[in-house]
């Protein structure tokens, strides 16, 4: 397939932010795409080469790209740098420069999607001392044969600056329309995506095997399954109302969710946002295979930091010490953990997600042996408010956050938040009833003691309908010096020159971040605001929701995907809830 077709589509996609228009451009592109390249096209659209969990990074530095442009075009480095400075985007700058150049250049051969993809893949795989030269050779050979438009997009992919703002849902809508005639079939694709986390594979399946292939789509060992999530309830009473008269209560431990894929000694570990986290947990890799009584298995557990002397659970932040590249062995001994299993999703070649909770718990206890390091999450079947309260008491005393309540007869719903699992936290840590998980979209440089850090952050909710991140507040309190440093380390690499099109904000930040990080905040109230964009126009025309007195709780939720952040819907429920309370107070 000619790369020019893809470059043209990229060009059109860059010009719009509207989901419907993006979908239409994608449908037209997919219809022109041969089936054997569709997976590659789907990855490239998202600026990737493979699904995220494989962790393949292109990692080409700007300097190297500039040298490669210079080498392939004969234009001096200085001139390229000047143009780059003017436009702020090297991809764009290169197309302007090469435009001037091609008037005298004779193009050698058309480049194909396959060639671009394979070359990028080789670049991503290169390492070692000679890798810079090799990378440069590969890049300049591609640029040699590329038109200015093609070159600009090749560079954007290489540098990680292709930001079309296309979410998975939009890609799935387009795939459903292109290959089954209607968007209605998105749900079936969603299921395949939920159990594989690989959109390229989903695209290839629907293109080559149609809907039938999608319906037969099975769990693949070592491909992470998108996690099931829980709704929140505020009281034991509300839990009983929603759950009926008998259900399971489990401790809600405050650690990191880990999905384990094991076959013999081979182990893969994925975080809640499906990132590969093996390097942080060498102890899990080493010890857990001994506890498994099955040929292969997929399990879910909460890894929790513990006090080795008392066995007490420690808060999530303790695990952050393990998020380092070097001296991980030291961190492993300094911050010991236990692995607390709560679900089984696959065993001996068969899916377990269709089994009921009760059957899964039995299977878990059958196939995993307990010891000092590997535990089953404490669970009790409860029938009334008293029993929930008693178990809650035990859970809080052990150092956990509260309870997870789970329906006994329900399957595991990969990738969805629903009422089959509920979370009930003990303390209502603020006047709103619960903390909020918000997406960091922008930053403001700090002053005084905070110079050199981002002193204030701009935060957003997740709008599920539009697939965007509308602003909700600025937050500048609750930060310790340590957390400011830590946030800077995490956020600095996410700075983007252009505001990602999924960010909706009228407020101008000093820097925009790629929407990738979730932090926890509390606040005193939700108010209407003419500036912020969350749930805009829903309560009142031209007003969005904003948080009053927001405060960072200290929890950087690195394990959460931005699509798991608090949604507009949740904010609206909280807003309406507080209005009712205020109203009742006035009546009294
Ligand atoms: P939240 O982060 O408040 O939405 O709560 C969901 C998270 O709680 C999950 O992603 C898990 O990391 C964690 N968790 C702790 N205990 C359990 C449990 N028993 N079952 C499921 N998830 C749990």
């Amino acid at each position: 397939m000619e790369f020019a077709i893809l470059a043209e589509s990229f060009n059109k996609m860059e010009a719009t932010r509207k989901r419907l228009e993006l979908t239409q451009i994608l449908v037209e592109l997919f219809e022109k795409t041969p089936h054997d390249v569709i997976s590659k096209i789907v990855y490239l659209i998202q600026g990737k080469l493979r699904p995220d969990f494989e962790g393949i990074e292109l990692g080409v530095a700007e300097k190297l790209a500039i040298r490669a442009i210079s080498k392939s075009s004969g234009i001096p480095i200085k001139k390229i740098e000047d143009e780059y400075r003017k436009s702020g985007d090297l991809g764009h700058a290169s197309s302007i420069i090469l435009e001037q150049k091609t008037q005298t250049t004779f193009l050698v051969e058309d480049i194909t999607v396959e060639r671009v993809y394979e070359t990028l893949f080789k670049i991503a795989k290169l390492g070692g001392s000679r890798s810079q030269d090799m990378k440069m050779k590969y890049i300049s050979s591609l640029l040699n044969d590329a038109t200015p438009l093609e070159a600009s997009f090749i560079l954007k992919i290489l540098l990680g600056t292709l930001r079309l703002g296309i979410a998975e849902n939009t890609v799935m809508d387009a795939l459903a329309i292109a290959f089954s005639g209607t968007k209605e079939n998105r749900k079936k694709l969603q299921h395949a995506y939920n159990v594989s986390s690989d959109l390229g594979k989903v695209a290839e399946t629907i293109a080559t095997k149609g809907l039938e292939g999608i319906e037969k789509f099975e769990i693949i060992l070592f491909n992470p399954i998108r996690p099931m999530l829980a709704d929140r309830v505020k009281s034991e009473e509300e839990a009983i109302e929603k759950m009926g008269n008998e259900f399971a209560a489990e401790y809600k431990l405050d650690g990191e969710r880990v999905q384990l894929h094991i076959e013999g000694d081979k182990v893969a570990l994925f975080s809640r946002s499906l990132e590969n986290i093996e390097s942080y947990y060498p102890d899990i890799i080493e010890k857990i295979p001994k506890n498994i009584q099955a040929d292969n298995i997929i399990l879910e557990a909460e890894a929790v930091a513990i006090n080795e002397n008392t066995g007490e659970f420690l808060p999530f932040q303790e695990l952050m010490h393990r998020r380092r590249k070097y001296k991980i062995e030291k961190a492993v001994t300094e911050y010991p953990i236990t692995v607390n299993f709560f679900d089984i999703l696959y065993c001996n070649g068969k899916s377990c997600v269709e089994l009921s909770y009760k059957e899964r718990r039995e299977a878990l206890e059958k196939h995993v042996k307990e010891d000092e390091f590997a535990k089953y999450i404490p669970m009790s079947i409860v029938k009334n408010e008293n029993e929930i309260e008693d178990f809650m008491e035990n859970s809080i005393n052990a150092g956990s956050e509260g309870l997870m309540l789970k329906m006994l007869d329900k399957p595991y719903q990969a990738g969805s938040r629903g009422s089959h699992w509920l979370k009930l936290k003990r303390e209502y840590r603020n006047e709103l009833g619960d903390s909020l998980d918000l997406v960091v979209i922008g930053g403001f440089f700090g002053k005084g003691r905070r110079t050199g850090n981002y002193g204030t952050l701009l935060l957003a909710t997740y709008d599920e309908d539009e697939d965007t991140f509308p602003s909700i507040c600025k937050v500048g309190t609750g930060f310790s010096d340590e957390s400011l440093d830590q946030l800077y380390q995490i956020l600095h690499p996410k700075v983007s020159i252009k505001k990602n099109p999924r960010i909706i904000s009228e407020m101008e930040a000093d820097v925009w971040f790629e929407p990738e990080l979730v932090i926890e905040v509390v606040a005193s109230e939700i108010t209407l605001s003419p500036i912020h964009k969350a749930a805009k126009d829903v309560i009142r025309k031209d007003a969005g929701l904003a948080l009053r007195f927001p405060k960072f709780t200290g929890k950087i939720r690195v394990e959460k995907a931005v699509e798991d952040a608090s949604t507009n819907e949740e904010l609206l429920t909280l807003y309406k809830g507080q209005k009712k309370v205020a109203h009742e107070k006035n009546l009294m």
Side-chain angles (χ1 to χ4, degrees):
M1 179 178 180
E2 284 169 28
F3 188 70
I5 300 177
L6 184 58
E8 276 301 333
S9 302
F10 280 156
N11 205 23
K12 286 191 210 154
M13 288 186 239
E14 272 197 339
T16 181
R17 208 184 65 193
K18 298 204 180 84
R19 186 163 173 184
L20 279 181
E21 283 176 19
L22 285 172
T23 312
Q24 191 49 37
I25 301 167
L26 285 174
V27 170
E28 282 163 21
L29 172 65
F30 292 155
E31 283 171 348
K32 285 185 219 153
T33 305
H35 295 171
D36 57 340
V37 275
I38 191 141
S39 61
K40 299 186 172 79
I41 293 272
V42 165
Y43 301 129
L44 291 174
I45 287 166
Q46 298 187 298
K48 302 172 189 170
L49 293 177
R50 293 287 302 154
D52 283 341
F53 63 85
E54 291 189 16
I56 294 181
E57 303 266 346
L58 272 160
V60 168
E62 281 170 1
K63 274 217 167 93
L64 185 80
I66 291 173
R67 271 169 49 214
I69 300 170
S70 170
K71 184 169 178 221
S72 70
S73 64
I75 296 169
I77 287 183
K78 171 88 176 52
K79 191 161 175 220
I80 301 169
E81 282 174 345
D82 286 347
E83 193 60 50
Y84 174 32
R85 220 164 286 133
K86 263 191 260 162
S87 76
D89 178 312
L90 191 52
H92 186 63
S94 74
S95 78
I96 296 173
I97 292 169
L98 297 174
E99 199 74 63
Q100 301 158 7
K101 173 73 189 158
T102 44
Q103 286 155 10
T104 54
T105 309
F106 174 67
L107 289 183
V108 189
E109 58 174 304
D110 285 345
I111 52 172
T112 60
V113 172
E114 291 88 331
R115 177 174 159 204
V116 173
Y117 182 88
E118 270 144 36
T119 312
L120 295 180
F121 207 84
K122 279 190 208 150
I123 293 171
K125 289 272 168 195
L126 276 174
S129 57
R130 291 206 46 220
S131 72
Q132 298 302 311
D133 290 345
M134 287 300 288
K135 280 184 186 174
M136 196 160 99
K137 232 175 88 189
Y138 285 136
I139 300 170
S140 51
S141 95
L142 270 187
L143 295 183
N144 246 343
D145 296 338
T147 64
L149 186 72
E150 290 169 340
S152 79
F153 286 110
I154 291 172
L155 284 164
K156 284 181 190 183
I157 298 171
L158 275 167
L159 298 165
T161 55
L162 179 72
R163 284 167 186 151
L164 303 171
I166 297 182
E168 279 114 12
N169 288 348
T170 313
V171 178
M172 281 188 273
D173 278 348
L175 286 170
I177 297 170
F179 297 107
S180 78
T182 159
K183 205 168 105 175
E184 298 306 309
N185 287 320
R186 206 308 274 295
K187 275 203 192 86
K188 293 179 180 159
L189 289 164
Q190 183 79 51
H191 171 75
Y193 178 54
N194 284 341
V195 298
S196 68
S197 315
D198 185 344
L199 210 49
K201 191 161 267 163
V202 173
E204 189 180 271
T205 307
I206 185 141
T208 57
K209 299 188 186 146
L211 275 182
E212 206 182 318
I214 287 291
E215 275 159 6
K216 288 196 192 132
F217 204 95
E218 284 180 0
I219 291 174
I220 309 157
L221 193 64
F222 299 109
N223 270 33
I225 296 168
R226 299 183 70 228
M228 177 167 177
L229 305 169
D231 264 349
R232 58 183 111 195
V233 282
K234 280 191 182 172
S235 64
E236 281 80 358
E237 195 187 344
E238 191 186 346
I240 301 263
E241 241 169 60
K242 295 200 164 144
M243 287 253 145
N245 46 20
E246 192 183 49
F247 48 93
E250 294 177 353
Y251 283 11
K252 183 178 189 307
L253 300 179
D254 186 20
E256 173 160 33
R257 187 172 188 159
V258 181
Q259 194 178 111
L260 303 91
H261 291 232
I262 305 172
E263 188 165 50
D265 284 338
K266 188 172 170 209
V267 183
L269 306 179
F270 300 103
S271 72
R272 172 182 169 146
S273 50
L274 310 182
E275 187 198 346
N276 193 306
I277 46 172
E278 280 140 45
S279 61
Y280 308 134
Y281 298 106
D283 40 355
I284 299 187
I285 309 258
E286 187 201 318
K287 294 183 192 164
I288 292 295
K290 295 195 243 349
N291 299 68
I292 305 301
Q293 293 173 327
D295 294 338
N296 47 49
I297 203 160
I298 302 178
L299 300 161
E300 276 203 305
E302 191 82 354
V304 188
I306 52 153
N307 177 331
E308 247 183 337
N309 300 323
T310 62
E312 200 188 347
F313 294 123
L314 300 175
F316 170 75
Q317 286 91 302
E318 291 296 303
L319 285 178
M320 287 294 288
H321 297 286
R322 285 190 171 216
R323 299 218 156 225
R324 53 165 86 157
K325 283 212 176 98
Y326 309 103
K327 301 200 179 149
I328 175 74
E329 297 79 15
K330 194 160 165 254
V332 165
T333 28
E334 276 174 24
Y335 304 96
I337 56 167
T338 55
V339 183
N340 303 270
F341 291 96
F342 61 82
D343 224 317
I344 177 167
L345 310 183
Y346 181 89
C347 185
N348 289 332
K350 287 206 194 81
S351 164
C352 300
V353 294
E354 300 80 12
L355 300 180
S356 68
Y357 170 85
K358 219 169 154 186
E359 291 164 320
R360 297 201 312 280
R361 178 82 190 197
E362 276 165 24
L364 173 69
E365 293 183 14
K366 180 169 162 209
H367 295 287
V368 182
K369 249 185 5 208
E370 268 197 305
D371 61 18
E372 282 301 294
F373 185 67
K375 309 270 180 201
Y376 310 133
I377 239 168
M379 185 273 278
S380 168
I381 307 277
V382 291
K383 295 198 179 67
N384 53 46
E385 280 182 44
N386 278 347
E387 287 177 12
I388 307 180
E389 265 167 35
D390 286 349
F391 201 56
M392 173 69 95
E393 204 59 42
N394 297 344
S395 157
I396 299 293
N397 287 340
S400 81
E401 283 188 310
L403 296 179
M404 293 289 281
L405 307 173
K406 301 183 177 179
M407 286 193 187
L408 294 171
D409 57 348
K410 291 291 190 275
Y412 185 95
Q413 291 177 306
S416 72
R417 184 185 298 284
S419 52
H420 299 167
W421 283 13
L422 298 177
K423 53 186 170 188
L424 176 63
K425 293 191 193 172
R426 186 30 152 338
E427 299 141 303
Y428 301 139
R429 286 166 294 176
N430 62 29
E431 291 145 57
L432 286 181
D434 204 349
S435 56
L436 298 165
D437 293 321
L438 299 175
V439 182
V440 185
I441 55 174
F444 301 85
F445 294 118
K447 297 195 183 83
R449 257 179 53 212
R450 293 187 177 179
T451 306
N453 274 329
Y454 303 120
T456 302
L457 300 176
L458 182 62
L459 305 179
T461 54
Y462 175 53
D463 180 337
E464 281 179 306
D465 296 333
E466 294 296 320
D467 215 357
T468 53
F469 303 102
S471 75
I472 181 149
C473 68
K474 270 163 74 170
V475 62
T477 47
F479 299 101
S480 63
D481 289 351
E482 194 195 348
S483 65
L484 280 176
D485 286 345
Q486 216 170 31
L487 279 164
Y488 187 84
Q489 299 298 331
I490 299 174
L491 286 170
H492 186 62
K494 301 187 194 299
V495 170
S496 62
I497 302 158
K498 259 195 340 205
K499 182 163 77 178
N500 184 303
R502 290 169 80 195
I503 293 177
I504 313 294
S505 167
E506 199 173 288
M507 198 170 260
E508 284 296 326
D510 290 345
V511 286
W512 294 109
F513 301 119
E514 281 303 296
E516 288 170 354
L517 181 72
V518 176
I519 63 170
E520 191 182 81
V521 300
V522 290
S524 70
E525 204 187 334
I526 301 173
T527 57
L528 290 176
S529 148
I531 300 163
H532 288 294
K533 303 292 182 198
K536 183 165 177 282
D537 296 335
V538 178
I539 305 281
R540 188 188 303 152
K541 192 162 172 350
D542 292 331
L545 298 179
L547 296 187
R548 191 145 177 254
F549 302 133
K551 186 174 163 205
F552 175 53
T553 62
K555 291 193 180 177
I556 304 172
R557 311 255 37 171
V558 283
E559 84 287 11
K560 281 206 173 176
V562 281
E563 285 82 7
D564 295 334
S566 301
T567 59
N568 278 353
E569 220 37 61
E570 287 176 273
L571 263 292
L572 281 167
T573 312
L574 289 172
Y575 177 76
K576 289 176 189 156
Q578 70 181 12
K579 261 183 65 177
K580 210 163 82 194
V581 175
H583 188 64
E584 278 162 9
K585 267 190 202 153
N586 287 341
L587 287 180
M588 283 196 296

